[in-house]
Amino acid sequence: MKQTVPLYSALIAALVFAAAFHPDAGAAAARHAPAKAKAVNAKAAKAKAPAKPAPKARKALAPAAAVAAVTAASTIDYAGEQVNFSEWQAMRDFIDEMVAKHGFERSALEGQMRQARFVESAVQLVKPAPPGKPKNWQAYSDRFIEPIRINAGLRFWNENASALARAEATYGVPAEILVGIIGVETVYGRDTGRFRVLDILTTLAFAYPDAPNKDARSAFFRSELENTLLLARHENIDPFTLLGSFAGAVGLPQFMPGNILKYGVDFDGDGHIDLRNSTSDAIGSVANFLIAHGWKPGDTGPAVMPVDVAAHRAWEPLLGRGLAATLRPDELEAAGVIFPATPSPGRLYGLVDLQNGAEATEYWMANDNFFAITKYNRSYFYAMSVIDLGRAVREARALQAL
């Protein structure tokens, strides 16, 4: 990171003047998909299910380009296996609970569960990855801070400038952070997932693979299946029309159904929360999520700053202290952390290490806003990519205005 920051201006200047010549960003989404997902899907998709007709438009949605991109990406690309989940005792118990707890009509719910398909590729994708190469921040970053995604972010920001400005004013989350998250998650709606969420969550709730955390993960996906049915009833939609990732995440910002219910915002004011088609709802919901997870609007300085560390390594015990800012600047300094500038007084920080494979590890000092982003995805690499992508798009937009 410290080595690459000076290259941004040259990259962004080239982007601004050559945008029309970039290939479609859908190709970027395919290129950035995990290799494991590609291999599993290729093996599992023996036949393709026909695409369902798109539901009738219910709102004056996002700019047409973004909506068209989401629609184009929303095609199921797996067959699934017909399994009568309603015959399983665990499913019967689930249906009993939905009837008693939420007043669902039993026969209708049983009919829906009979339509759910078992998705073997999802089972394979949630298995722990085998030990591989050492972590490499620069290789990870290169997947997201690249011309196609930056150009897509520039178009997204320009088309949604009003909603982004309103979200920043309402929640205090900078537009570039919102742009960074949506870009990292789905390339601005180009890759929102091609699995029926009801299939995925039913499979993972009742057929999660053997693993040390099987019970906890099964319970999580069971609760998300419950949330999906509640969400579909609240929004008056067919739950089988919800498409998402292999883990059941939905829409431009990839919210799990439970998070849509908790943090989703009707930011376009049409009476519905629609993260699949409304860029305004997606923008407002991401901002609301960050505020709920510790974003501090009053902290207007950088979320991270690069630091050096002393050779005596007394700072090592300060690493790995969880996803929270808990250290005073004087504690960091006493342990041998060297700041390039004086930190804000009275603020807490965490020490972040970004491993670079065989190259030198980078060290950063991060505040609460950085760690709020890690609640979206529990990864330092993820949070740094969000920050870097958002900044790159902001700089590209500034150059465009010249």
Side-chain angles (χ1 to χ4, degrees):
M1 164 74 63
K2 286 179 278 189
Q3 300 93 324
T4 61
V5 168
L7 298 179
Y8 277 147
S9 295
L11 170 63
I12 290 164
L15 288 172
V16 171
F17 295 108
F21 299 101
H22 288 303
D24 182 72
R31 187 169 68 252
H32 295 317
K36 182 178 178 184
K38 291 182 182 178
V40 171
N41 284 337
K43 181 178 179 181
K46 297 178 181 177
K48 291 183 182 285
K52 292 184 178 291
K56 292 182 179 179
R58 197 172 48 198
K59 47 170 84 178
L61 302 175
V67 176
V70 173
T71 302
S74 300
T75 303
I76 298 170
D77 60 1
Y78 66 96
E81 180 183 344
Q82 188 66 54
V83 174
N84 192 352
F85 283 104
S86 62
E87 293 182 351
W88 297 16
Q89 184 58 51
M91 176 60 81
R92 293 196 194 106
D93 294 342
F94 175 77
I95 290 173
D96 287 345
E97 181 179 323
M98 295 299 291
V99 171
K101 184 177 176 182
H102 300 296
F104 277 79
E105 203 262 313
R106 181 179 299 275
S107 62
L109 189 53
E110 288 174 341
Q112 284 181 327
M113 293 299 99
R114 278 194 293 270
Q115 297 176 56
R117 290 181 172 271
F118 175 82
V119 185
E120 173 64 24
S121 56
V123 173
Q124 298 303 320
L125 286 165
V126 298
K127 289 181 177 179
K133 297 179 181 179
K135 292 180 179 179
N136 190 315
W137 157 240
Q138 287 301 331
Y140 182 96
S141 174
D142 287 346
R143 294 169 53 202
F144 299 102
I145 318 306
E146 48 80 33
I148 292 174
R149 207 173 295 249
I150 294 172
N151 259 328
L154 182 60
R155 289 192 298 271
F156 181 85
W157 195 327
N158 287 339
E159 292 175 349
N160 296 280
S162 176
L164 288 163
R166 186 159 55 91
E168 183 166 346
T170 302
Y171 296 100
V173 179
E176 67 186 78
I177 297 297
L178 306 177
V179 169
I181 286 179
I182 295 173
V184 169
E185 289 292 336
T186 62
V187 198
Y188 307 100
R190 307 292 171 84
D191 187 14
T192 57
R194 300 187 178 187
F195 293 90
R196 292 197 309 184
V197 170
L198 212 63
D199 291 343
I200 291 296
L201 296 178
T202 302
T203 297
L204 297 179
F206 302 112
Y208 197 87
D210 288 335
N213 62 347
K214 176 180 178 177
D215 289 346
R217 299 306 291 163
S218 295
F220 169 76
F221 287 111
R222 187 181 187 276
S223 70
E224 289 300 336
L225 178 60
E226 175 183 2
N227 289 327
T228 300
L229 294 168
L230 291 171
L231 175 65
R233 183 171 70 177
H234 182 266
E235 294 295 329
N236 192 29
I237 58 176
D238 177 356
F240 284 104
T241 66
L242 284 171
L243 302 185
S245 73
F246 69 85
V250 175
L252 282 85
Q254 292 290 277
F255 272 26
M256 292 300 289
N259 280 342
I260 299 176
L261 292 172
K262 288 179 185 176
Y263 308 113
V265 174
D266 173 24
F267 208 54
D268 62 11
D270 76 338
H272 298 279
I273 297 170
D274 184 359
L275 305 189
R276 299 178 294 165
N277 300 303
S278 170
T279 53
S280 291
D281 287 1
I283 288 164
S285 297
V286 172
N288 189 44
F289 179 96
L290 291 174
I291 286 293
H293 288 84
W295 185 277
K296 289 184 165 44
D299 195 344
T300 57
V304 288
M305 69 170 69
V307 297
D308 292 319
V309 289
H312 56 63
R313 307 188 75 82
W315 43 266
E316 276 193 330
L318 304 184
L319 294 170
R321 292 200 170 190
L323 303 179
T326 60
L327 300 166
R328 300 188 312 273
D330 63 289
E331 293 177 288
L332 289 160
E333 191 170 26
V337 177
I338 304 161
F339 316 134
T342 303
S344 299
R347 300 276 169 79
L348 297 177
Y349 299 89
L351 185 60
V352 171
D353 58 332
L354 301 181
Q355 299 171 37
N356 272 318
E359 302 299 321
T361 297
E362 296 179 21
Y363 296 93
W364 295 75
M365 190 169 72
N367 67 13
D368 286 307
N369 290 345
F370 175 89
F371 290 108
I373 301 171
T374 67
K375 305 305 192 304
Y376 208 103
N377 184 311
R378 301 175 67 82
S379 162
Y380 292 163
F381 283 10
Y382 175 87
M384 288 296 292
S385 292
V386 164
I387 291 168
D388 284 354
L389 178 60
R391 181 176 67 241
V393 176
R394 171 174 54 78
E395 292 177 358
R397 194 162 184 260
L399 280 175
Q400 188 182 60
L402 294 177

